[in-house]
Amino acid sequence: TAIVARGDHLVTADAQFSSMKQRSDVAALLEENPAALFLNPVNWEGIRGSLIDAKRRKVPVIVVDTPVSDPDLVLCQIASDNAEAGRIVCDALAAARPDARIVVLHLSLNRACIERVEGFQARMARHPGMTILDIREGKGRAEGSYPVMRELLDRWPDLDAVFAVNDPSALGAIRAIREAGRGGQIAVVAVDGSPAGIEAIRAGQLLATAAQSPREIGRLAAEQAYAHMNGRPVKKNIRLPVALIDARNVTE
């Protein structure tokens, strides 16, 4: 909205969680000689070559949602406080299941998800009754986490909690749990605060999700890009707060 309001043109590309496609997308966009490139990296390390190419072409890169491994190659990075997101959903789960036996659905190529899991694990020190049984790759999507969750239900019949690194992973897990006839028996927490996640809370399928502020991330990204174009200072790292959504405040 901020870009269109200025009469400028925004071209978007969806990497569909594919590092290879994202590198190809970035290469194609750089050929158009854009004034700036906004990037939500699939693989926080695997995108480095594309960042080097952008820097060589003098195209400023504004990273959104999840950091990259080499911040010197980008103009700035704007993301939620992902470690805090992991901490607050851990507390929410502990309040409901103090002795939870947990499986984690990860997306370990993504730095934001790494931080969420690190925050969750660090906060578990305050909840000694909780145990992580397994950490598996859920691929960040419902269709990726669904078969993984089915396997985890067979492998760990006594599991009673799931920490999914994002709402889509949680929704795939919830589907597997319901099909196994264990709906209501397993508490699921996640990160995103997406409309689908909120509906799952209303339906009693998702215990809690840590909400991000995607519109604010986008607004700040555009603001930093225009500041740079106009020769004004740019903040190198911007972290936005997160908030817990659960049954108590979901109607808000």
Side-chain angles (χ1 to χ4, degrees):
T1 301
I3 291 172
V4 174
R6 290 174 178 258
D8 292 328
H9 184 54
L10 180 66
V11 177
T12 62
D14 182 1
Q16 300 173 357
F17 289 93
S18 166
S19 298
M20 183 179 298
K21 185 177 186 303
Q22 186 163 69
R23 289 192 294 269
S24 176
D25 288 343
V26 171
L29 291 169
L30 289 175
E31 287 297 323
E32 300 297 321
N33 193 31
L37 176 69
F38 301 97
L39 177 70
N40 183 349
V42 173
N43 184 327
W44 79 299
E45 294 177 315
I47 199 64
R48 189 173 188 275
S50 299
L51 299 179
I52 292 172
D53 190 21
K55 196 171 187 70
R56 179 179 61 82
R57 294 170 181 260
K58 295 184 168 45
V59 176
V61 178
I62 297 91
V63 174
V64 298
D65 190 52
T66 179
V68 295
S69 61
D70 195 339
D72 292 337
L73 293 174
V74 303
L75 178 67
C76 68
Q77 302 192 93
I78 305 167
S80 303
D81 187 341
N82 286 292
E84 177 64 6
R87 290 190 288 267
I88 64 175
V89 296
C90 180
D91 287 340
L93 180 58
R97 299 278 172 90
D99 298 317
R101 295 176 61 78
I102 309 157
V103 295
V104 177
L105 295 171
H106 208 336
L107 179 61
S108 61
L109 293 176
N110 185 288
R111 182 61 198 174
C113 295
I114 293 171
E115 292 176 2
R116 293 168 191 176
V117 173
E118 288 176 346
F120 187 95
Q121 290 177 307
R123 185 54 62 93
M124 282 181 63
R126 297 189 182 183
H127 309 292
M130 297 169 64
T131 304
I132 291 180
L133 301 174
D134 209 340
I135 299 177
R136 296 282 298 278
E137 293 291 326
K139 302 181 181 179
R141 295 179 290 179
E143 58 267 32
S145 66
Y146 167 71
V148 174
M149 191 66 214
R150 291 186 62 179
E151 293 175 13
L152 287 167
L153 288 166
D154 288 338
R155 182 177 182 186
W156 303 102
D158 58 343
L159 76 87
D160 62 1
V162 179
F163 170 43
V165 292
N166 62 8
D167 284 358
S169 296
L171 295 175
I174 288 167
R175 177 187 166 198
I177 290 166
R178 292 180 65 191
E179 289 183 0
R182 298 190 63 185
Q185 301 173 19
I186 299 175
V188 182
V189 295
V191 177
D192 268 343
S194 67
I198 290 169
E199 285 303 314
I201 292 173
R202 288 190 177 122
Q205 298 168 348
L206 182 64
L207 177 67
T209 182
Q212 303 188 88
S213 304
R215 289 183 181 274
E216 182 66 3
I217 289 174
R219 186 190 68 79
L220 288 169
E223 183 181 278
Q224 298 304 300
Y226 285 116
H228 175 74
M229 292 175 200
N230 292 313
R232 299 197 305 271
V234 171
K235 294 180 181 179
K236 187 68 175 178
N237 286 288
I238 300 174
R239 289 286 175 128
L240 278 72
V242 293
L244 188 76
I245 300 177
D246 60 15
R248 295 170 299 179
N249 64 0
V250 69
T251 57
E252 301 171 16

